[in-house]
């Protein structure tokens, strides 16, 4: 079907040769309206910088998101899908509204749309138009179940003879060992130490060369790292399981990992069964754990000396420093069971746990690291379990920790989690206005 899109008119010369387009006069207003619509969208969508946003592979504060990142977003059918970020804009300092429910808090500009259940209908409503105790905020859970592989092989692997290979070397019939040693790619004294001294290692390619010259099966070499004697004691699973996740979470709370000192340490607490639980996990994975008493107090620490063990945790996202620690991104996409075990590990380290007379488990986790507390809340909510609001308090210092140490004034942040199931929606209870960036 051909639609008339040109006006011919009476004066043929005026509209020669084809006439005047009927659409042309509308192009400029249409273009202006489209630009205005885009501007309104940018203006309307504004959250504070520390708002936690669900990403395809974890979470990020909205201020840290860049063009090209993949966030989780709802489509028109209410399905959670990945979406690429195409624009990122800082709208500066504006008046914002804070809307709170029992488990959720959202802070945004007056016109920021929020998905709510209003009398059984899912719809987007501007924050300023929310009806407290009527509109229900939507709680979102994640059903990811991505396996996380635990790295085992060093970036620059070394190797040493296994006990079986050592026996084979001793029983070998070599006509001229000195000549064979000189033919190795390494100095003959290093090759000699590798063959005769227990625990001596060489770079993997050189170790294979020595094995070929002395007719030893190099597939039986023990892969290790330079200067690490007991690498064969490392007995980690191939993929993260609940016990490993629980240990990792506990080390986030009470642990210290040093690449320079090649060690994994956690501070002992006043609950001996907790100390023993995690000392046993370290022993299972790394073979040997030592207890070091603290001369300044009644508690000491448990320590594993393992360069490769420390490297593994650091490679998997452990960040040293109490105020720097964050939950690694792989936790957010692991199975719900692993996510729960990870947070329970943090709770065993830094949580105040209790049970109600009905048997409901609660834990209040208080830390100096607000971002880590936000991570804990996000992970716990993502598995469909309840968590309260993040609280802040100032703690006065001045009292003695030991005879020669005084407690400094600090700011701490806390969140209370429980094993109650999180409702799919929760009524907004309060709507406040404030001024922030």
């Amino acid at each position: 079907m051909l639609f008339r899109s040109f006006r011919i008119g009476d004066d043929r010369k005026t509209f020669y040769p084809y006439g005047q387009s009927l659409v042309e006069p509308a192009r400029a207003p249409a273009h202006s309206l489209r630009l205005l619509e885009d501007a309104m969208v940018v203006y309307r969508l504004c959250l504070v910088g520390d708002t936690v946003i669900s990403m395809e592979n974890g979470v990020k504060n909205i201020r840290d998101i860049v063009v090209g990142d993949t966030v989780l977003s709802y489509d028109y059918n209410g399905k959670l899908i990945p979406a690429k970020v195409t624009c990122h804009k800082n709208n500066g300092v504006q008046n914002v509204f804070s809307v709170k429910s029992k488990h959720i808090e959202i802070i945004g500009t007056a016109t920021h749309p929020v998905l709510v259940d209003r009398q059984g209908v899912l719809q987007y409503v501007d924050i300023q138009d929310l009806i407290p105790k009527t509109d229900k905020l939507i709680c979102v859970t994640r059903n990811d179940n991505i396996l996380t592989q635990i790295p085992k092989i060093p970036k620059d692997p070394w190797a040493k003879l296994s006990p079986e290979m050592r026996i084979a070397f001793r029983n070998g019939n070599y006509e001229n060992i000195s000549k064979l040693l000189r033919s190795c790619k390494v100095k003959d004294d290093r090759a000699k130490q590798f063959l005769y001294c227990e625990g001596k290692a060489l770079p993997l390619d050189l170790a294979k060369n020595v094995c070929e010259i002395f007719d030893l099966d190099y597939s039986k070499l023990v892969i290790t790292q330079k200067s690490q004697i007991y690498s064969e004691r490392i007995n980690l699973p191939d993929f993260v399981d609940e016990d490993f996740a629980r240990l990792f979470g506990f080390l986030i709370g009470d642990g210290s990992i040093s690449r320079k000192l090649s060690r994994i340490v956690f501070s002992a607490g006043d609950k001996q069964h907790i100390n023993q639980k995690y000392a046993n996990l370290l022993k299972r994975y790394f073979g040997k754990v030592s207890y070091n008493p603290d001369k300044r107090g009644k508690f000491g620490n448990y320590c594993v000396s393992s360069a490769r063990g420390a490297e593994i945790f650091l490679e998997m996202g452990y960040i040293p420093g109490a105020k720097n620690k964050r939950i690694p991104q792989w936790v957010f996409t692991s199975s719900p069971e692993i996510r729960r075990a990870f947070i329970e590990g943090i709770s065993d380290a830094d949580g105040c746990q209790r049970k109600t007379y009905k048997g409901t488990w609660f834990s209040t986790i208080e830390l100096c690291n607000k971002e880590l507390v936000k991570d804990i809340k996000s992970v716990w909510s993502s598995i469909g379990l309840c968590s309260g609001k993040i609280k802040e308090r100032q703690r006065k210092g001045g009292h003695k920790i030991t005879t020669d140490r005084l407690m400094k004034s600090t700011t701490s942040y806390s969140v209370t989690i429980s094993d109650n199931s999180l409702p799919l929606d929760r009524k907004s209870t309060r709507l406040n206005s404030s001024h922030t960036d």
Side-chain angles (χ1 to χ4, degrees):
M1 182 179 293
L2 179 64
F3 290 94
R4 182 180 178 186
S5 58
F6 298 95
R7 185 168 60 131
I8 303 301
D10 296 331
D11 186 355
R12 305 286 299 186
K13 293 182 179 180
T14 305
F15 305 112
Y16 181 86
Y18 301 109
Q20 183 184 36
S21 170
L22 297 176
V23 178
E24 183 64 28
R27 287 183 60 191
H31 184 62
S32 298
L33 287 172
R34 182 173 63 81
L35 293 176
L36 178 61
E37 180 184 8
D38 291 344
M40 288 298 293
V41 170
V42 172
Y43 168 76
R44 282 166 50 84
L45 302 180
C46 189
L47 296 169
V48 292
D50 61 355
T51 302
V52 177
I53 303 298
S54 292
M55 311 294 291
E56 185 178 33
N57 59 348
V59 296
K60 270 188 179 182
N61 288 343
I62 195 170
R63 68 162 68 93
D64 299 325
I65 294 175
V66 297
V67 174
D69 282 349
T70 302
V71 300
L72 293 183
S73 177
Y74 278 102
D75 63 8
Y76 290 106
N77 299 318
K79 182 180 178 182
L80 203 60
I81 60 170
K84 287 285 185 182
V85 175
T86 59
C87 178
H88 186 278
K89 180 177 176 61
N90 184 349
N91 285 332
V93 178
Q94 298 187 33
N95 290 324
V96 295
F97 282 77
S98 169
V99 56
K100 297 181 180 180
S101 72
K102 189 173 182 180
H103 304 292
I104 302 174
E105 178 179 8
I106 300 173
I107 302 176
T109 53
T111 56
H112 183 83
V114 178
L115 183 64
V116 299
D117 179 347
R118 176 173 285 183
Q119 298 178 347
V121 179
L122 288 179
Q123 55 185 294
Y124 281 98
V125 178
D126 290 351
I127 286 184
Q128 64 181 355
D129 297 328
L130 287 171
I131 304 174
K133 299 185 179 180
T134 298
D135 290 334
K136 297 179 180 179
L137 303 177
I138 306 301
C139 301
V140 180
T141 59
R142 299 185 66 149
N143 297 319
D144 303 276
N145 187 10
I146 299 175
L147 294 175
T148 301
Q149 190 168 15
I150 299 176
K152 289 186 177 181
I153 306 301
K155 295 178 182 177
D156 299 312
W158 285 48
K160 60 184 178 180
L161 296 181
S162 65
E164 182 181 355
M165 296 176 72
R166 195 170 299 285
I167 293 173
F169 171 71
R170 290 173 181 172
N171 295 333
N173 186 17
Y174 306 108
E175 293 183 0
N176 192 336
I177 291 183
S178 297
K179 182 179 179 180
L180 293 175
L181 288 172
R182 287 194 296 271
S183 65
C184 296
K185 293 182 180 179
V186 294
K187 294 181 179 180
D188 57 353
D189 57 338
R190 291 188 64 191
K192 188 174 182 179
Q193 290 177 357
F194 174 74
L195 292 167
Y196 286 95
C197 300
E198 185 176 357
K200 288 295 182 179
L202 289 174
L204 182 57
D205 57 339
L206 299 180
K208 287 182 178 180
N209 171 253
V210 174
C211 290
E212 289 175 347
I213 291 173
F214 285 88
D215 197 24
L216 299 173
D217 184 1
Y218 59 76
S219 67
K220 297 179 180 179
L221 284 168
V222 177
I223 305 302
T224 182
Q225 193 173 9
K226 184 179 180 181
S227 302
Q228 183 163 311
I229 300 174
Y230 299 109
S231 63
E232 66 271 20
R233 290 181 176 176
I234 296 180
N235 185 32
L236 292 168
D238 293 330
F239 296 92
V240 172
D241 58 16
E242 291 179 44
D243 282 343
F244 182 83
R246 186 173 283 106
L247 173 62
F248 204 121
F250 184 80
L251 293 174
I252 289 280
D254 263 349
S256 173
I257 296 175
S258 171
R259 179 185 282 110
K260 183 177 180 179
L261 299 177
S262 303
R263 67 179 190 176
I264 304 167
V265 179
F266 75 81
S267 301
D270 56 356
K271 297 179 181 178
Q272 187 55 35
H273 70 283
I274 296 292
N275 297 335
Q276 198 59 51
K277 174 182 178 180
Y278 289 96
N280 289 340
L281 283 176
L282 284 176
K283 185 176 181 181
R284 184 207 300 180
Y285 294 140
F286 301 104
K288 185 177 181 180
V289 180
S290 60
Y291 174 73
N292 306 305
D294 185 358
K295 297 180 181 179
R296 296 180 298 181
K298 60 181 180 179
F299 303 122
N301 63 62
Y302 292 84
C303 178
V304 167
S305 295
S306 173
R308 185 55 190 152
E311 189 69 30
I312 287 171
F313 280 99
L314 293 170
E315 284 182 19
M316 295 189 69
Y318 184 95
I319 304 174
K323 293 187 177 181
N324 301 324
K325 293 178 180 179
R326 297 293 300 270
I327 292 180
Q329 294 297 321
W330 56 263
V331 178
F332 292 89
T333 55
S334 297
S335 69
E337 294 78 15
I338 287 176
R339 278 178 267 166
R340 175 167 184 160
F342 192 98
I343 301 301
E344 287 176 343
I346 296 179
S347 175
D348 283 341
D350 285 317
C352 177
Q353 304 181 30
R354 59 200 182 278
K355 280 192 175 183
T356 66
Y357 68 94
K358 292 184 178 180
T360 303
W361 176 84
F362 285 86
S363 177
T364 299
I365 302 172
E366 187 167 10
L367 304 166
C368 66
N369 185 337
K370 185 178 181 179
E371 297 302 316
L372 180 55
V373 173
K374 288 166 60 178
D375 286 350
I376 293 168
K377 179 176 174 63
S378 295
V379 172
W380 197 253
S381 298
S382 75
I383 58 179
L385 296 175
C386 290
S387 61
K389 303 179 185 70
I390 296 176
K391 299 179 180 179
E392 177 181 341
R393 70 164 173 161
Q394 303 292 327
R395 308 180 73 176
K396 293 183 179 180
H399 62 278
K400 289 185 178 181
I401 303 175
T402 60
T403 55
D404 58 342
R405 294 176 65 194
L406 293 178
M407 182 70 179
K408 296 181 180 179
S409 298
T410 59
T411 302
S412 63
Y413 307 89
S414 66
V415 64
T416 298
I417 60 177
S418 76
D419 56 7
N420 281 327
S421 295
L422 186 67
L424 291 180
D425 48 45
R426 175 64 65 177
K427 291 182 180 179
S428 55
T429 58
R430 191 167 54 187
L431 190 61
N432 298 324
S433 178
S434 60
H435 188 73
T436 190
D437 186 354

